[in-house]
Amino acid sequence: MRFRNYFCESVVLLILCCTFGALVISFARSSSPTFDETSHLPAGYSYLRWHDFRLNPEHPPFVKKLAALPLLWDHVWPTTLDAPAASNGSILDGDAAIRRAWTAALTQIDAQWPFGHAFLYSVRNDKMTDAGTVSPATQLASDDFHNNADDLVFHGRMAVMLLGLALLVLLYLWSRAMFGMAGAVFSSALLCFDPNFIAHSGLITTDVGESLFIFATMFFLWRVLGHSRAIDLALFVTCFALAFVTKFSAILLIPMLCVVALAAVFSRTPLMLKTCELTTLAGKGTLFLGLLLLAFLTTYLALWASYSFRYSAANETNAAAWPMEASLYRAAALKTELKSRPEGIPPEQRADFERRVSDSMESRPLTVIGQAILFARDHRVLPEAYLYGLAHTEMKSVLRGSFLFGQYSNLGFRSYFLWTFLIKTPLPALLAIAAAVIVALIRRPRGTFIFIFIPIAVYLFASIATHLNIGHRHILPLYPFLYLLCGILAVEWRRMSILPRQLTAALAIAAVVISSQFVFSPLARPQTIHPHYLAYFNEFVGGPRHGYKVLVDSNLDWGQELKNLRYWLDDHKIEGPVWLSYFGMADPAFYGIRHWSVPKVLGGYAFERSDYDQLEAEGKPGDAAQKFLGDLRSGQYIAVSVTNLSGVYLGKPTHDLWKEIFDHATFVDQIGYSIFIYRLND
């Protein structure tokens, strides 16, 4: 009987994993590389191939290394970066471009973007014009590029998918232990069919990895305190360490564990250590102190190991030092200046504000975090790349553009993540979470529930307090704990009689599955989600078709629909070049999209020359925009990413100018809900 139950559960879990994997693969195959992936994957490859960590220090290296592992078995260009940069007349060939970016990355953090572009999209020299560009009329094939970017990115995405699958399995196991098989199936089904996890498990980013390791740390801590087995202890400290080498937000694990420790130490419930029962404050406190010390020691070793046990980020002698102090002093100056400007900085005052910040940087005392980072640098307590990543994150988190319900802010919105949670979570999942919270409050469960509620409370509080409001993905670590809590509904479900129980189960699973594929609106036909899972919005805002009115960037438009734009142009037999304003780093030429790039001030592709570059280089973006308006002709098509259309990063005047243009154009279609197509009128 027990074997039969194990077999049935294994089959159910296998079906869930296969379903989740199939959905992730469908998304990964249909999506062009998103904004951050064009930096993460080349950086991970450079870590593995050249043991150099100058690229993309904003995140620790683990997930990037994992994604780049499959590339070691591919024929990836370049094989070495030792040779000096070279140029061929007026053409910057791929070798010269990638080596120039590689050298610049030692002092300029943004050099990671031209390096990533050269790595993924360098065109062979014989396909370029004398001006070093590709003609809009040129139709390129994948063989015309040094690397096949689609294949490289897909292989990296499949490595990240394994993290999503591991999270699904752990959620099933924990919910099974707490609420039985019914609770496990329901909890894991909520995750399996969550469009947000489907999308981000198919992207080379750190969010799903961090969700996994935070959840796994708490899971194995719970097992350590319940079973005290050596394997659980080893997995606890390993997952704790992996969280820190995945993303800087792992620092939140420290308050989580401290609060859990305090709650457990002062509770009346004894703790088991092998066959020994700990009931005193001293015994419990000693146990937690030992666990934390072991976790910190393992993490410290893991951090050094992830950077090849070398302090210097660059794997070369006499390498230039990163401007770490400049980032920290700028962060301190920003925080000081913004104390008197809690409403943020209007765009028309940004230039004057930046001058004041630059003038006051050296006179502002460093924050406590800044002083700690410089102390660690001076005494080489941690690797240089890790410390600079912390310094850069400290600076960037102070002032960053954000968009919510048509409003702009460079200080973020306190309600940002509450809104993203409400409109990016499927309605059945929202109802299940609300019901589970109500049941938990009524039943008042004790003991093991601190491992659910405390991580939720700590992470939610930290998310609301931050100024970095650029994506719902930053609160993904909340969901596994919330879906675990939903398993408590199975306890109530088992109290029903047979017929209502069967009917409720069928309706619940059907609702979860259908909501991941369709969004229903009373005013229009159902909106299909597959395979555009990144653009998911629920019925509260009218589905993904109306998502651009509420949120942009990685919530909806992260550059993932470039491939589908090409398919749309082919299907509609549009052979002439289209005007393109694209928010992303993937190269339109790689997909054979014949286009003209709009001025950079309107969202022109960053790595493409246009007729407006000279005017913009002379500091005349308005003249460039006016020249662009004069170049528009009746019947031409314009494809514009909704993030550019919103003006969140380009400024509200850009949004107003696009609105003026589209007052004289006809809306044609949406590509994956994130790229709008317009046709110019007379």
Side-chain angles (χ1 to χ4, degrees):
M1 187 67 177
R2 179 176 297 181
F3 173 80
R4 181 181 177 183
N5 291 338
Y6 282 145
F7 177 78
C8 291
E9 291 196 42
S10 299
V11 170
V12 170
L13 182 56
L14 180 62
I15 291 173
L16 287 169
C17 289
C18 290
T19 302
F20 182 74
L23 294 174
V24 172
I25 291 172
S26 68
F27 168 78
R29 268 298 185 196
S30 66
S31 302
S32 51
T34 57
F35 207 104
D36 287 9
E37 288 181 292
T38 59
S39 172
H40 288 181
L41 183 63
Y45 182 77
S46 72
Y47 303 160
L48 294 174
R49 175 66 71 185
W50 301 299
H51 304 287
D52 193 294
F53 302 93
R54 70 184 71 186
L55 295 174
N56 192 244
E58 295 101 316
H59 303 287
F62 177 73
V63 170
K64 292 175 283 186
K65 282 185 172 182
L66 175 67
L69 269 177
L71 274 60
L72 296 180
W73 289 273
D74 285 336
H75 299 290
V76 177
W77 171 92
T79 57
T80 179
L81 291 172
D82 294 336
S87 62
N88 181 12
S90 62
I91 298 175
L92 279 177
D93 61 25
D95 287 314
I98 201 167
R99 284 172 172 79
R100 185 176 64 171
W102 180 252
T103 302
L106 285 172
T107 55
Q108 303 170 26
I109 194 169
D110 285 342
Q112 61 182 302
W113 303 111
F115 180 91
H117 178 266
F119 180 83
L120 293 171
Y121 300 111
S122 281
V123 180
R124 299 183 185 277
N125 288 349
D126 57 348
K127 296 297 178 179
M128 302 180 74
T129 67
D130 290 338
T133 61
V134 177
S135 168
T138 301
Q139 187 78 23
L140 293 173
S142 59
D143 291 342
D144 297 328
F145 295 81
H146 285 292
N147 290 323
N148 189 319
D150 259 8
D151 287 348
L152 298 186
V153 170
F154 179 74
H155 295 160
R157 287 173 171 178
M158 292 301 94
V160 175
M161 181 183 70
L162 299 178
L163 301 178
L165 288 169
L167 178 59
L168 181 65
V169 172
L170 286 184
L171 177 59
Y172 184 94
L173 295 176
W174 200 352
S175 187
R176 173 69 176 84
M178 295 183 70
F179 308 114
M181 181 180 175
V185 171
F186 188 56
S187 294
S188 50
L190 288 171
L191 183 76
C192 175
F193 293 100
D194 186 323
N196 302 292
F197 273 94
I198 294 171
H200 289 284
S201 295
L203 297 178
I204 306 170
T205 55
T206 58
D207 303 292
V208 168
E210 190 68 351
S211 302
L212 165 64
F213 296 127
I214 289 177
F215 187 76
T217 298
M218 302 308 298
F219 172 58
F220 289 114
L221 177 62
W222 173 75
R223 288 182 61 88
V224 166
L225 299 178
H227 302 88
S228 296
R229 293 187 297 192
I231 183 63
D232 294 324
L233 177 61
L235 289 171
F236 161 69
V237 297
T238 299
C239 292
F240 185 89
L242 288 175
F244 276 82
V245 296
T246 295
K247 198 168 185 176
F248 290 121
S249 58
I251 194 72
L252 295 177
L253 269 174
I254 296 176
M256 288 181 194
L257 295 183
C258 289
V259 176
V260 167
L262 288 174
V265 167
F266 288 99
S267 71
R268 298 179 180 178
T269 305
L271 299 178
M272 298 299 298
L273 184 62
K274 294 280 184 188
T275 58
C276 178
E277 187 177 88
L278 303 177
T279 57
T280 64
L281 291 179
K284 293 180 180 180
T286 302
L287 173 61
F288 273 102
L289 183 60
L291 289 174
L292 291 175
L293 288 176
L294 183 59
F296 289 145
L297 177 60
T298 305
T299 299
Y300 189 69
L301 293 174
L303 283 172
W304 279 103
S306 65
Y307 291 96
S308 300
F309 290 102
R310 190 183 69 239
Y311 170 76
S312 175
N315 188 18
E316 60 187 59
T317 58
N318 301 320
W322 267 323
M324 199 177 304
E325 288 186 351
S327 296
L328 294 173
Y329 277 109
R330 175 174 167 77
L334 283 172
K335 289 181 179 180
T336 302
E337 293 291 338
L338 289 172
K339 285 181 180 178
S340 60
R341 306 293 296 272
E343 74 284 357
I345 312 300
E348 62 273 13
Q349 300 178 19
R350 185 64 183 265
D352 181 62
F353 174 78
E354 290 292 345
R355 281 193 296 271
R356 291 203 310 273
V357 169
S358 298
D359 294 341
S360 63
M361 278 175 55
E362 296 299 331
S363 61
R364 300 299 182 188
L366 289 178
T367 62
V368 174
I369 295 175
Q371 294 174 4
I373 291 174
L374 287 187
F375 175 85
R377 182 202 64 178
D378 295 339
H379 295 82
R380 299 198 170 191
V381 176
L382 288 167
E384 180 187 25
Y386 187 81
L387 292 174
Y388 183 56
L390 283 173
H392 187 74
T393 301
E394 166 79 353
M395 180 189 70
K396 295 292 286 186
S397 63
V398 178
L399 194 68
R400 184 71 179 265
S402 185
F403 177 86
L404 180 66
F405 283 103
Q407 300 298 311
Y408 303 86
S409 174
N410 40 37
L411 291 180
F413 304 89
R414 291 299 183 198
S415 61
Y416 183 87
F417 287 112
L418 295 177
W419 279 115
T420 65
F421 175 77
L422 287 175
I423 62 182
K424 291 282 289 179
T425 307
L427 287 188
L430 282 177
L431 293 173
I433 292 169
V437 170
I438 293 173
V439 170
L441 291 175
I442 293 174
R443 299 294 181 186
R444 295 183 180 181
R446 297 179 180 179
T448 57
F449 275 77
I450 63 174
F451 294 91
I452 301 177
F453 289 117
I454 289 175
I456 292 173
V458 170
Y459 208 95
L460 184 60
F461 175 80
S463 301
I464 293 174
T466 183
H467 295 297
L468 192 62
N469 297 162
I470 59 173
H472 170 257
R473 60 194 174 92
H474 288 164
I475 60 170
L476 287 186
L478 286 173
Y479 282 84
F481 294 100
L482 291 171
Y483 291 157
L484 173 62
L485 180 63
C486 290
I488 198 175
L489 298 177
V491 178
E492 304 300 315
W493 173 78
R494 281 194 292 268
R495 293 189 172 99
M496 299 179 180
S497 56
I498 295 179
L499 185 59
R501 190 164 58 189
Q502 294 175 340
L503 181 61
T504 302
L507 290 176
I509 297 299
V512 169
V513 174
I514 293 173
S515 67
S516 72
Q517 304 300 315
F518 301 97
V519 172
F520 299 92
S521 172
L523 302 178
R525 64 182 182 180
Q527 298 170 42
T528 304
I529 303 302
H530 176 84
H532 312 293
Y533 296 104
L534 189 67
Y536 177 83
F537 285 83
N538 64 27
E539 286 80 357
F540 283 155
V541 293
R545 190 171 295 280
H546 302 280
Y548 72 97
K549 302 174 184 177
V550 185
L551 296 168
V552 289
D553 204 308
S554 60
N555 303 292
L556 169 64
D557 169 35
W558 217 6
Q560 75 276 7
E561 294 297 340
L562 203 57
K563 186 186 299 187
N564 292 315
L565 173 61
R566 164 63 193 274
Y567 296 153
W568 186 91
L569 293 173
D570 288 346
D571 291 344
H572 290 77
K573 296 180 172 55
I574 299 175
E575 298 180 356
V578 299
W579 291 103
L580 181 63
S581 173
Y582 169 61
F583 179 75
M585 291 293 175
D587 198 326
F590 180 80
Y591 295 104
I593 297 174
R594 293 179 289 275
H595 66 283
W596 297 296
S597 185
V598 304
K600 302 297 189 293
V601 69
L602 290 173
Y605 185 56
F607 300 106
E608 192 168 76
R609 299 179 187 178
S610 72
D611 295 337
Y612 314 105
D613 289 350
Q614 184 61 37
L615 287 172
E616 294 187 286
E618 295 172 357
K620 301 176 182 178
D623 291 348
Q626 289 302 317
K627 184 178 186 306
F628 164 64
L629 293 178
D631 291 338
L632 298 179
R633 297 290 182 269
S634 174
Q636 292 177 339
Y637 287 87
I638 301 179
V640 56
S641 296
V642 294
T643 302
N644 289 344
L645 184 60
S646 73
V648 60
Y649 300 126
L650 301 175
K652 191 175 183 299
T654 296
H655 168 72
D656 295 339
L657 183 55
W658 277 122
K659 185 177 185 302
E660 179 183 345
I661 292 172
F662 294 145
D663 285 342
H664 301 278
T666 301
F667 173 77
V668 178
D669 206 349
Q670 280 181 316
I671 310 299
Y673 307 110
S674 73
I675 297 179
F676 284 7
I677 306 292
Y678 286 86
R679 188 175 187 273
L680 291 169
N681 299 330
D682 292 340

